[in-house]
Amino acid sequence: MNTKKISDMTIILATGNAGKLAEVREILPDYDFVTLKDIGFSGDIDENGTTYEENALIKVRAVWDYEEKHDRIIMADDSGLEIDYLNGEPGIHSARYMGYDTPYSVKNQAIIDALKGVPDELRGARYVCAIALKFPDGSEQTVRGIYEGKVAYEAKGTNGFGYDPMFWVPAFGKTDGELPIEIKNKFSHRAKALEAADKLIKAWRGE
Ligand code: IMP
């Protein structure tokens, strides 16, 4: 347990992805999240790890090195979509898959086309999210959340972001693009990882 409690609930979230930030704020409304932009960090972070956890740690360490004072918790996530039929691809390469700047409408259709004629039982996919935390005392922790689904037969809906229109959630019979964001945020990989991160933060604060 940490004896030196921090007084505020501000967390630096090492992301520039607006879709992720919105989800994180909705899932953990009790914290005040500031972003890389808010702290004036504009450098490139080379996410060259071989696992989601390594990449998340690379991000929190880059922010730690940038900050002069270490008075706030730093949080980063690294996530990806693993498609069984594509041997786990795009996985940790999900953001850069087919090129960073390629629209997701194109990426999603390419994946649906790649699985044309593939039966239901072979269409398994999952989102994975690892979260790294770096506390003001320099200690680090990681947690992981997993959200199981399938590659849809067609892309549907405009909710969420990224691969959501083609990520079919069997329990609801809908894609994440169609599901209300409140539902996704209850069951998603990010929700599960953030709930685990919340417990670690509370433990660190001695709550
Ligand atoms: P990261 O920013 O390096 O973690 O890259 C994660 C990438 O995985 C995103 O840019 C998306 O392509 C994909 N991804 C992760 N989580 C989600 C999600 O909840 N919905 C849609 N795409 C996601």
Side-chain angles (χ1 to χ4, degrees), residues 5-170:
K5 281 197 187 185
I6 48 172
S7 54
D8 74 314
M9 295 279 278
T10 304
I11 295 179
I12 301 173
L13 184 68
T15 187
N17 179 326
K20 271 191 195 171
L21 176 66
E23 289 191 6
V24 172
R25 284 196 165 129
E26 170 147 347
I27 295 165
L28 293 184
D30 292 343
Y31 297 95
D32 178 22
F33 288 97
V34 297
T35 64
L36 293 178
K37 200 169 160 211
D38 296 327
I39 63 165
F41 182 105
S42 57
D44 271 337
I45 302 177
D46 192 11
E47 294 174 32
N48 57 7
T50 56
T51 63
Y52 303 103
E53 282 79 4
E54 270 177 35
N55 278 338
L57 283 168
I58 287 170
K59 293 181 220 181
V60 291
R61 288 173 187 157
V63 175
W64 174 273
D65 291 343
Y66 170 80
E67 287 277 279
E68 276 168 23
K69 275 199 324 198
H70 297 126
D71 55 357
R72 292 174 288 192
I73 293 171
I74 305 166
M75 178 189 281
D77 94 324
D78 194 69
S79 50
L81 172 71
E82 298 180 350
I83 299 173
D84 292 340
Y85 192 76
L86 302 180
N87 301 315
E89 283 295 307
I92 59 167
H93 308 119
S94 292
R96 68 198 102 141
Y97 186 61
M98 294 178 64
Y100 274 111
D101 296 331
T102 305
Y104 275 94
S105 53
V106 174
K107 299 192 197 194
N108 288 336
Q109 194 53 49
I111 291 170
I112 289 169
D113 291 346
L115 269 73
K116 196 158 189 267
V118 173
D120 242 15
E121 60 276 18
L122 299 179
R123 303 181 74 90
R126 71 205 49 78
Y127 279 129
V128 180
C129 174
I131 288 183
L133 294 167
K134 193 160 173 84
F135 294 97
D137 62 7
S139 62
E140 297 172 341
Q141 303 248 29
T142 61
V143 286
R144 180 181 267 225
I146 294 173
Y147 183 31
E148 294 285 347
K150 287 178 186 287
V151 174
Y153 289 99
E154 56 177 312
K156 275 193 189 161
T158 53
N159 294 338
F161 65 96
Y163 297 100
D164 283 344
M166 63 113 227
F167 188 79
W168 174 262
V169 189

